[in-house]
Amino acid sequence: VQLVESGGGLVQAGGSLRLSCAASGLTVDDHAIGWFRQAPGKEREGVSCIRRNGPGPVTDYADSVKGRFTISSDNAKNTVYLQMNSLKPEDTAVYYCAADEVLDCGSWLLGTWGSEAGDYWGQGTQVTVSS
């Protein structure tokens, strides 16, 4: 199983980026796919999640990104996207995607099972937002 993130970069505050998480060895529709981020000196935190085959809402977001970020999936490409608009300097972090067969999005994003919960993790992509 491999999850490969792409789309990170440097952007000015107020700008947009779209992150991609390309999956191989698993089907995104059969898993919860989450986006997490970790800023220097801070713990990893949940950002957004999509799950089409389990309990709870199909998508979920951290309060800090609601209304600015949108998660979506493309079944044909087996890829999950995170569209990030109105970016702020505090969004600067390494962004990771992860996949889990069992967890529901809500508890996963809240960190109920610990910051390392998840069956598979990508290597991350850097997002830097300048002020």
Side-chain angles (χ1 to χ4, degrees):
V1 173
Q2 195 172 19
L3 300 174
V4 179
E5 303 97 334
S6 61
L10 173 64
V11 64
Q12 288 188 332
S16 299
L17 285 174
R18 189 178 79 157
L19 305 184
S20 300
C21 174
S24 59
L26 63 78
T27 301
V28 296
D29 262 9
D30 293 338
H31 293 74
I33 307 296
W35 283 99
F36 297 79
R37 66 187 181 187
Q38 188 165 20
K42 294 187 177 181
E43 290 191 356
R44 187 177 295 177
E45 63 175 355
V47 176
S48 183
C49 178
I50 186 168
R51 185 178 189 116
R52 298 192 179 278
N53 71 334
V58 173
T59 61
D60 204 358
Y61 299 90
D63 288 344
S64 59
V65 306
K66 280 181 181 176
R68 300 188 298 123
F69 291 10
T70 304
I71 192 169
S72 62
S73 63
D74 184 329
N75 299 340
K77 296 183 178 180
N78 211 32
T79 297
V80 172
Y81 304 98
L82 185 67
Q83 178 66 43
M84 306 187 296
N85 299 329
S86 302
L87 283 161
K88 305 175 181 180
E90 51 263 43
D91 293 319
T92 295
V94 177
Y95 283 70
Y96 301 89
C97 70
D100 196 275
E101 192 173 0
V102 177
L103 296 178
D104 68 278
C105 281
S107 63
W108 196 15
L109 291 184
L110 287 174
T112 302
W113 314 108
S115 62
E116 300 299 320
D119 294 333
Y120 308 103
W121 286 82
Q123 293 301 305
T125 185
Q126 176 71 47
V127 171
T128 303
V129 185
S130 63
S131 57

